[in-house]
Amino acid sequence: MLIVFVVRHTARRRQITLTEHDAFDIVSDVFLTLMRDDFAALRRFRGKSSLATYLTVVTRRVVVRKLVRMNRSQVQLNDPTVLSADPLAIDLDSATPGEINSMLSVLDPQEASLVRMFHLEQKSLEQISQATGIEPASIGPMLQDARRKMQQHGNVNQGV
């Protein structure tokens, strides 16, 4: 139960929705890691923490590694349609420069920079990553958060 909970919780914290099959696959990877080399991971347990805490740490490391691999294989970094299909997408193309500046003003400087590069300069996630040093897998969720803030700000200004 603990391992299943840690798998789902870690994915949720990284804003990744897992199918039952994916969750089962990751849980299997955790057990394979624990059993590898004649249970070497369990033999390394020294009792400096509770066994549950130790298993949580091992599980979280396996889960993060697996999620990163899954994300890299599923997301094409140069495909802007991955993010433009977001239901929170803001139409920056039809907005005036004043409206764009108003929308960007609700964001912190890093978020505004990401939105500018992706939506206005049409840079790919890989190009943004190279320019900012942010992992490509982290840029998508950051852009979604920024668009959510911009949408909420737009709704407040429109009285919705």
Side-chain angles (χ1 to χ4, degrees):
M1 243 5 235
L2 172 70
I3 292 173
V4 174
F5 173 79
V6 173
V7 167
R8 290 195 173 131
H9 180 75
T10 304
R12 199 171 37 251
R13 295 286 299 174
R14 291 179 158 261
Q15 299 175 342
I16 297 172
T17 304
L18 292 178
T19 63
E20 285 298 317
H21 176 73
D22 289 338
F24 179 78
D25 189 36
I26 295 172
V27 169
S28 297
D29 282 352
V30 171
F31 281 110
L32 287 173
T33 299
L34 292 172
M35 294 180 350
R36 188 172 299 131
D37 295 328
D38 198 27
F39 298 94
L42 291 175
R43 280 188 276 118
R44 284 191 294 267
F45 175 65
R46 297 290 174 231
K48 294 182 179 178
S49 64
S50 70
L51 180 60
T53 300
Y54 181 77
L55 289 174
T56 298
V57 171
V58 171
T59 302
R60 191 175 305 128
R61 288 179 181 169
V62 172
V63 172
V64 169
R65 224 177 291 129
K66 180 75 172 182
L67 291 175
V68 167
R69 264 189 257 125
M70 285 171 55
N71 196 24
R72 284 185 185 151
S73 69
Q74 291 175 354
V75 175
Q76 297 174 0
L77 295 178
N78 293 323
D79 186 4
T81 60
V82 170
L83 294 173
S84 61
D86 184 356
L88 298 171
I90 304 293
D91 186 15
L92 295 176
D93 296 329
S94 64
T96 66
E99 291 171 330
I100 292 173
N101 286 332
S102 174
M103 285 189 277
L104 293 177
S105 70
V106 301
L107 304 176
D108 66 50
Q110 184 181 36
E111 289 174 324
S113 175
L114 291 176
V115 170
R116 233 180 249 107
M117 284 190 265
F118 186 80
H119 288 287
L120 301 178
E121 298 170 15
Q122 301 295 312
K123 289 186 177 183
S124 69
L125 297 181
E126 193 169 89
Q127 291 168 326
I128 295 170
S129 175
Q130 290 170 353
T132 62
I134 300 171
E135 286 292 317
S138 298
I139 294 171
M142 292 173 79
L143 283 169
Q144 288 176 341
D145 289 343
R147 286 193 295 255
R148 187 173 292 112
K149 286 180 186 176
M150 289 168 43
Q151 186 180 46
Q152 288 172 347
H153 177 72
N155 289 344
V156 169
N157 285 345
Q158 295 168 5
V160 175

